[in-house]
Protein backbone atom coordinates (compact mmCIF):
# COMPACT_ATOMS: atom_id res chain seq x y z
CA UNK A 1 0.00 0.00 0.00
CA UNK A 2 1.34 3.46 -0.90
CA UNK A 3 2.08 5.79 2.03
CA UNK A 4 -0.59 8.34 2.89
CA UNK A 5 0.51 11.96 3.28
CA UNK A 6 -1.21 14.74 5.22
CA UNK A 7 -0.21 17.38 2.68
CA UNK A 8 0.97 17.33 -0.95
CA UNK A 9 4.27 18.92 0.18
CA UNK A 10 5.14 15.66 1.92
CA UNK A 11 5.18 13.76 -1.36
CA UNK A 12 8.39 13.48 -3.34
CA UNK A 13 9.01 16.42 -5.66
CA UNK A 14 8.68 15.92 -9.43
CA UNK A 15 12.43 16.16 -10.07
CA UNK A 16 14.14 16.08 -6.69
CA UNK A 17 17.65 15.35 -8.00
CA UNK A 18 18.91 18.88 -8.46
CA UNK A 19 22.71 18.54 -8.60
CA UNK A 20 24.95 15.49 -9.13
CA UNK A 21 28.51 16.02 -10.23
CA UNK A 22 32.04 14.73 -9.97
CA UNK A 23 34.46 17.65 -10.30
CA UNK A 24 38.15 18.42 -10.39
CA UNK A 25 37.56 21.91 -8.98
CA UNK A 26 36.89 23.05 -5.39
CA UNK A 27 33.45 22.28 -3.96
CA UNK A 28 30.99 24.76 -2.46
CA UNK A 29 28.79 24.03 0.56
CA UNK A 30 26.68 27.07 -0.36
CA UNK A 31 26.03 25.78 -3.88
CA UNK A 32 24.86 22.39 -2.59
CA UNK A 33 22.72 23.98 0.13
CA UNK A 34 21.06 26.32 -2.39
CA UNK A 35 20.40 23.38 -4.72
CA UNK A 36 18.21 21.63 -2.13
CA UNK A 37 16.14 24.65 -1.15
CA UNK A 38 12.43 23.85 -1.33
CA UNK A 39 9.44 25.61 0.24
CA UNK A 40 7.82 22.29 1.15
CA UNK A 41 10.89 21.10 3.07
CA UNK A 42 10.86 21.42 6.82
CA UNK A 43 14.25 19.77 7.22
CA UNK A 44 17.51 19.92 5.33
CA UNK A 45 20.47 17.73 6.22
CA UNK A 46 23.92 18.41 4.81
CA UNK A 47 27.11 16.39 5.09
CA UNK A 48 30.58 17.68 4.27
CA UNK A 49 33.52 15.30 3.97
CA UNK A 50 36.92 16.95 4.34
CA UNK A 51 40.48 15.75 3.88
CA UNK A 52 41.94 15.07 7.32
CA UNK A 53 45.61 15.03 8.31
CA UNK A 54 45.66 11.40 9.48
CA UNK A 55 44.27 7.95 8.78
CA UNK A 56 44.84 4.60 10.46
CA UNK A 57 47.29 6.15 12.92
CA UNK A 58 49.46 7.68 10.19
CA UNK A 59 50.01 11.28 9.09
CA UNK A 60 48.58 11.96 5.64
CA UNK A 61 50.97 13.99 3.49
CA UNK A 62 49.04 14.00 0.20
CA UNK A 63 45.79 12.65 -1.11
CA UNK A 64 44.10 12.24 -4.46
CA UNK A 65 40.78 10.93 -5.70
CA UNK A 66 40.13 9.24 -9.01
CA UNK A 67 37.05 7.60 -10.45
CA UNK A 68 35.87 5.07 -12.98
CA UNK A 69 34.09 6.46 -16.08
CA UNK A 70 30.84 4.94 -14.76
CA UNK A 71 31.00 6.91 -11.48
CA UNK A 72 28.56 9.63 -12.57
CA UNK A 73 25.97 7.03 -13.63
CA UNK A 74 26.44 5.12 -10.38
CA UNK A 75 26.02 8.35 -8.42
CA UNK A 76 22.68 8.90 -10.18
CA UNK A 77 21.60 5.33 -9.38
CA UNK A 78 22.39 5.88 -5.69
CA UNK A 79 20.51 9.20 -5.69
CA UNK A 80 17.47 7.62 -7.37
CA UNK A 81 17.45 4.87 -4.75
CA UNK A 82 17.40 7.48 -1.95
CA UNK A 83 14.60 9.40 -3.68
CA UNK A 84 12.59 6.18 -4.00
CA UNK A 85 12.99 5.39 -0.30
CA UNK A 86 12.25 8.77 1.28
CA UNK A 87 9.92 11.74 0.66
CA UNK A 88 12.80 13.76 -0.80
CA UNK A 89 11.96 17.29 -1.92
CA UNK A 90 15.48 17.94 -3.23
CA UNK A 91 18.82 16.15 -3.31
CA UNK A 92 22.33 17.24 -4.29
CA UNK A 93 25.77 15.60 -4.24
CA UNK A 94 29.17 16.66 -5.52
CA UNK A 95 32.44 14.78 -5.19
CA UNK A 96 35.93 16.03 -5.89
CA UNK A 97 38.59 14.19 -7.89
CA UNK A 98 42.23 15.11 -8.39
CA UNK A 99 44.89 16.15 -5.89
CA UNK A 100 43.61 17.58 -2.60
CA UNK A 101 45.25 18.96 0.53
CA UNK A 102 44.30 18.72 4.19
CA UNK A 103 41.16 20.76 4.81
CA UNK A 104 39.84 20.55 1.23
CA UNK A 105 36.24 19.48 0.73
CA UNK A 106 36.13 16.00 -0.80
CA UNK A 107 32.36 15.47 -0.89
CA UNK A 108 29.25 17.53 -0.12
CA UNK A 109 25.76 16.00 -0.06
CA UNK A 110 22.42 17.42 1.04
CA UNK A 111 18.82 16.31 1.18
CA UNK A 112 15.67 18.24 2.01
CA UNK A 113 12.47 16.52 3.13
CA UNK A 114 9.20 17.58 4.75
CA UNK A 115 10.52 16.62 8.22
CA UNK A 116 13.96 16.60 9.90
CA UNK A 117 14.07 12.89 10.75
CA UNK A 118 13.52 11.96 7.11
CA UNK A 119 16.15 14.48 5.99
CA UNK A 120 18.73 13.06 8.40
CA UNK A 121 17.99 9.46 7.38
CA UNK A 122 17.99 10.22 3.65
CA UNK A 123 21.24 12.19 3.87
CA UNK A 124 22.90 9.39 5.82
CA UNK A 125 21.73 6.84 3.24
CA UNK A 126 22.98 9.05 0.41
CA UNK A 127 26.53 9.50 1.76
CA UNK A 128 26.84 5.91 2.96
CA UNK A 129 25.70 4.44 -0.35
CA UNK A 130 27.78 6.90 -2.35
CA UNK A 131 30.82 5.88 -0.32
CA UNK A 132 30.19 2.14 -0.75
CA UNK A 133 28.75 1.91 -4.27
CA UNK A 134 30.21 4.66 -6.45
CA UNK A 135 33.61 3.76 -7.97
CA UNK A 136 35.67 6.63 -6.56
CA UNK A 137 39.05 5.73 -5.11
CA UNK A 138 41.24 7.57 -2.62
CA UNK A 139 45.03 7.39 -2.91
CA UNK A 140 46.69 8.38 0.35
CA UNK A 141 50.38 9.11 0.67
CA UNK A 142 51.64 9.08 4.22
CA UNK A 143 54.42 11.23 5.63
CA UNK A 144 56.58 8.12 6.23
CA UNK A 145 56.65 7.44 2.48
CA UNK A 146 54.08 4.63 2.44
CA UNK A 147 50.84 4.85 0.52
CA UNK A 148 47.49 3.10 0.17
CA UNK A 149 44.49 3.02 -2.12
CA UNK A 150 41.10 3.05 -0.46
CA UNK A 151 38.18 1.77 -2.56
CA UNK A 152 34.97 3.71 -3.13
CA UNK A 153 35.50 7.11 -1.62
Amino acid sequence: MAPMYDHPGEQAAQDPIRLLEIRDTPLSVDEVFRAVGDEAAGGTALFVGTVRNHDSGQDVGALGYSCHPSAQDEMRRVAEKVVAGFPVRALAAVHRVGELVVGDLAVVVAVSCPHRAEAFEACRKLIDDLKHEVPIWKHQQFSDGTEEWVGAC
Side-chain angles (χ1 to χ4, degrees), residues 6-152:
D6 294 332
H7 187 275
E10 293 185 41
Q11 298 172 18
Q14 290 291 68
D15 186 14
I17 300 173
R18 307 268 176 88
L19 173 64
L20 282 179
E21 290 187 14
I22 297 172
R23 300 181 177 161
D24 62 359
T25 56
L27 307 182
S28 166
V29 172
D30 290 338
E31 176 191 24
V32 173
F33 182 70
R34 281 191 308 272
V36 297
D38 189 287
E39 291 182 356
T44 299
L46 184 126
F47 173 82
V48 179
T50 56
V51 176
R52 63 181 178 265
N53 66 358
H54 69 280
D55 193 25
S56 303
Q58 295 183 280
D59 292 332
V60 173
L63 183 140
Y65 285 98
S66 60
C67 68
H68 188 272
S70 68
Q72 186 77 35
D73 291 338
E74 289 301 308
M75 186 181 272
R76 174 153 295 276
R77 187 186 58 73
V78 165
E80 289 171 348
K81 188 167 59 170
V82 171
V83 167
F86 297 89
V88 172
R89 299 298 309 169
L91 177 150
V94 290
H95 201 296
R96 180 98 182 261
V97 292
E99 298 305 311
L100 285 77
V101 299
V102 171
D104 280 349
L105 305 184
V107 61
V108 182
V109 302
V111 178
S112 61
C113 293
H115 305 284
R116 73 177 175 272
E118 300 157 341
F120 277 125
E121 290 175 40
C123 190
R124 174 91 188 229
K125 176 87 171 143
L126 177 60
I127 188 60
D128 286 351
D129 287 359
L130 190 151
K131 184 172 177 120
H132 292 102
E133 298 177 25
V134 178
I136 298 173
W137 305 285
K138 178 170 59 174
H139 181 221
Q140 298 186 115
Q141 297 174 6
F142 299 106
S143 57
D144 68 1
T146 61
E147 59 186 53
E148 80 174 341
W149 283 91
V150 180

